[in-house]
Amino acid sequence: MRTMKQQARALATAWRESPLLVVGLIVTTIASLLPIWIGRYVPLLDYPGHLANLFVWRHLHDPAYGFDRYYEPNLQPLPYWVQYGIEYVLAIPFGEEVSQKLFLSLAIGLLPVTVALYAKQLGRDPWLGVLAFPLAWNMNVSHGFLAYVGGLPLLFLSLWALDRFATAPSWRRGFLTLGLGVSLYFSHILIWGAFLCVGTVTALLSARPLTLRRFLSLPLPLVPVFLIGVWAQTYGNADKTNLPVSGKGLRAYEGVYNDFFANVGMIPGWTMNTIPELRDEQLYSGVLLLCWLLLVVTGWHRGSNPEQPMGLARLKEILLGRAEAALLVISILYFTLPRSLIRPFYWFAINRRLAVLVTLFALLLIRGTLLHSTVRRFVLLLAMALSVLYSLDISAHFWRFNHRNRAFEDLLAQVPKRAQVLPLMFSPGDPDSLMNCFNQWGSYVHIRQGGYMLPYFPVEFPLKYRKIKRPQSPAWDAPQQFRFDAHAAGWDYFLLHGPARIPEFSGSDPRVRLVDRRGDWALFENVKEQSK
């Protein structure tokens, strides 16, 4: 509560000093959330699959959908609890689709706030949070990594709590840090690991003077965070449904690695990259980099003690500060972790997800007060304008996407309730989406029709499949492998997106009947199944 009052007072002070910046902050915040609410559908890769998981979990025993014939709960102590738990609670008053949008809105909107909070704790200007607005729409969002994206603001909040504990230890601050740290594991395991690595180093630097008592107190919140995460990961994987822990040690793990320069080149593509054109990772990222450079250069002489002459002590303060240490640690993780893991299980994009953290921690290198210089105020306004432009650009793409794909709802309205529909996305992408956003589009069919849907996630949480006979289908990302004799049984309709270059849907196969075709969408009835 005291922190909220302090932030309110800081905002009131900023209003007196520069009302234009406060208005710009409000406009920037609204613009950053606009893409989520511009239309019904948010064309992100994993987004529909997460939504279907939430919907089935909440309606598992609803006879109107018949989900419990195919699914049962799997509520192990695994990551993703933060995402699905918050969404479950929000869905009670708002429904599933709105609750997932609210969760993503919280993740996008709170990232600049928590960066500002942590920046202030490190002795930097909280207005640095403005530069985090465009970074909130990063490649992790495009992939629909909602648990990871939701964990980003939670990470900075946890580091803020840990730094406060390390600076002035108390039981209250220790328990707060412990609770936030444990929640990071239940958000995403990479976020949890980043907190342990970055937090350990910055906590040691915060404890000044580093007496024996302080040194012994520092592990009090961190050790339980680590042990609880290890226990949860081991216990929750007893049935091997999520990222199994190998008993063979590190020898069992094999990854694919980038070299140093490939990792450097990957940073723009995994920070600001949401639209299919190149202007976000090139033009917009370039402008943000320019803003960062201007603020770094103009604030280089504005350390915590600017009157101190440049010497060994001042050099130590600049090079070995907590912000610099945090950036160093997260950079080491980024450049040493594998790009992806291939054994003992496939885990896509490991170090790539950390690229946005490298950029966010780099913001904390900026020193000095941002409102006490005309040049720096102008740079802040430029960063706000960039963020608003970027958000409006994303919103325009998402609006066109929703407008173009209204035919999907028109076709699905012609399908009887509880009829089973097999989605075959022969064109997985869209001109207004960076990702193959239709790969998991069958999740929207699942939400409406109930019953069974082909699996989209290897992790069976919060649900797992019952061991019963289920309708067969090609892999969700390989619809061209569809063969009527192998996959048609159990499906009443086939929903196609894009041209199908297989004979079953050529128009001459008597086993299927074209119900309707609109734009890129086509609906076929399984005549053979209906005749049973």
Side-chain angles (χ1 to χ4, degrees), residues 258-436:
N258 282 339
D259 60 32
F260 176 82
F261 293 103
N263 279 323
V264 171
M266 198 167 60
I267 291 177
W270 275 81
T271 49
M272 294 173 61
N273 196 3
T274 309
I275 60 176
E277 296 84 5
L278 295 176
R279 59 180 171 270
D280 47 357
E281 67 264 42
Q282 292 183 357
L283 175 61
Y284 296 161
S285 294
V287 175
L288 182 63
L289 178 60
L290 176 63
C291 292
W292 179 83
L293 285 172
L294 287 172
L295 292 175
V296 166
V297 171
T298 57
W300 183 253
H301 65 287
R302 298 172 181 269
S304 58
N305 187 7
E307 301 301 325
Q308 180 182 355
M310 180 59 72
L312 184 61
R314 180 73 191 284
L315 189 63
K316 183 179 178 181
E317 175 205 349
I318 292 175
L319 298 181
L320 298 179
R322 288 168 287 169
E324 290 76 12
L327 176 60
L328 177 62
V329 173
I330 202 67
S331 298
I332 291 173
L333 291 175
Y334 175 72
F335 285 102
T336 56
L337 287 174
R339 186 185 70 210
S340 295
L341 195 67
I342 56 177
R343 289 189 182 89
F345 53 89
Y346 180 68
W347 188 3
F348 171 71
I350 298 179
N351 79 324
R352 287 183 277 190
R353 304 188 195 203
L354 300 179
V356 68
L357 280 177
V358 174
T359 310
L360 286 167
F361 280 110
L363 299 181
L364 303 177
L365 299 182
I366 299 171
R367 294 169 174 267
T369 303
L370 302 186
L371 297 187
H372 294 171
S373 164
T374 303
V375 172
R376 304 190 114 202
R377 289 189 186 191
F378 173 78
V379 173
L380 277 182
L381 288 171
L382 178 61
M384 290 178 184
L386 163 68
S387 184
V388 170
L389 180 62
Y390 184 32
S391 299
L392 292 178
D393 202 348
I394 298 170
S395 299
H397 282 79
F398 286 8
W399 184 88
R400 289 193 295 266
F401 175 89
N402 278 269
H403 181 76
R404 181 183 301 107
N405 290 286
R406 287 184 299 183
F408 162 74
E409 296 181 28
D410 295 337
L411 290 185
L412 208 57
Q414 303 179 49
V415 178
K417 292 288 187 180
R418 297 294 296 272
Q420 291 293 274
V421 181
L422 175 62
L424 297 169
M425 304 290 103
F426 291 100
S427 292
D430 185 273
D432 284 296
S433 176
L434 174 68
M435 309 304 297
N436 287 337

Side-chain angles (χ1 to χ4, degrees), residues 32 107-109 111-112 131-138 141 149 152 271-272 356 360 390:
S32 68
I108 298 292
L111 181 60
L131 277 72
F133 273 107
L135 295 171
W137 282 97
N138 55 77
V141 179
V149 172
L152 291 176
T271 49
M272 294 173 61
V356 68
L360 286 167
Y390 184 32

